[in-house]
Amino acid sequence: FMLGHLQPDVAELNNMLPTLRDWLIEAHLDFAYGDEEMMSRLAAVDAASSPRLRVGQATYDAVLVPPLDTIRRSTLALLADFAKAGGRVVFAGDPAPNVDGEPSSHARKASERCILAAFERDAVLAALEPVRTVSIRDDQAREAASILYQLRRDGDNQIIFVCNTDRVNRVDPVTIRVN
């Protein structure tokens, strides 16, 4: 561990990841965090039917790349292969200015084959809308941010648990759609 104070631009970058997390949770978009080291060993593009990114036994329909200071060359190559196969790769905000810790325009060039979304809630969510599995909408047809869910698969069955987290403001009725 390195101790010390974060520079203002690094602190801002650190705050962007929890912001993205909250946007995805409130919009009912499932996600998992990707680890670049693990992906370099275990990830591959599976284009047998519809393109998916396989990491170990898990498969993903899309990759959302958060604002980063640096990204690995191996990650960029994997994302390029996924995008070339027709997978959805979304860069939220500006691509990393460094590759493997060195200044490089390689991430910017790689992102040109992907979807570039401004680091704004609506832009990021619109870019991910085609891969949505669950939608929980209020009577105004907006994703009901105070309602959280968990979806599990058990063989051929899907089980969904839904919970309203706001004890003061009732969201009623809601429409739940599961693909």
Side-chain angles (χ1 to χ4, degrees), residues 55-106:
V55 182
Q57 294 182 13
T59 59
Y60 302 94
D61 298 317
V63 176
L64 173 62
V65 182
L68 301 168
D69 183 53
T70 188
I71 190 168
R72 289 183 177 198
R73 189 170 305 277
S74 61
T75 302
L76 286 176
L78 179 66
L79 296 177
D81 289 347
F82 185 48
K84 185 177 178 181
R88 183 168 287 268
V89 178
V90 177
F91 280 79
D94 294 329
N98 299 295
V99 175
D100 291 334
E102 298 290 330
S104 173
S105 63
H106 191 64

Side-chain angles (χ1 to χ4, degrees), residues 14-151:
N14 275 350
N15 290 332
M16 289 177 167
L17 192 58
T19 297
L20 274 176
R21 175 207 60 211
D22 292 347
W23 292 347
L24 296 174
I25 289 171
E26 291 170 356
H28 310 114
L29 289 165
D30 286 331
F31 67 95
Y33 290 107
D35 177 278
E36 288 187 278
E37 190 281 325
M38 183 183 294
M39 289 178 4
S40 72
R41 292 182 290 110
L42 301 174
V45 175
D46 182 358
S49 53
S50 62
R52 297 192 191 256
L53 182 67
R54 180 172 299 282
V55 182
Q57 294 182 13
T59 59
Y60 302 94
D61 298 317
V63 176
L64 173 62
V65 182
L68 301 168
D69 183 53
T70 188
I71 190 168
R72 289 183 177 198
R73 189 170 305 277
S74 61
T75 302
L76 286 176
L78 179 66
L79 296 177
D81 289 347
F82 185 48
K84 185 177 178 181
R88 183 168 287 268
V89 178
V90 177
F91 280 79
D94 294 329
N98 299 295
V99 175
D100 291 334
E102 298 290 330
S104 173
S105 63
H106 191 64
R108 179 164 300 286
K109 288 178 188 168
S111 72
E112 292 171 0
R113 292 174 282 220
C114 303
I115 298 167
L116 297 174
F119 190 81
E120 298 169 358
R121 185 180 197 279
D122 290 344
V124 170
L125 299 180
L128 296 170
E129 185 63 31
V131 298
R132 174 181 297 285
T133 300
V134 173
S135 177
I136 304 173
R137 295 186 182 261
D138 62 19
D139 60 353
Q140 302 295 311
R142 297 175 303 221
E143 290 295 323
S146 67
I147 298 181
L148 302 180
Y149 78 96
Q150 182 179 60
L151 179 67

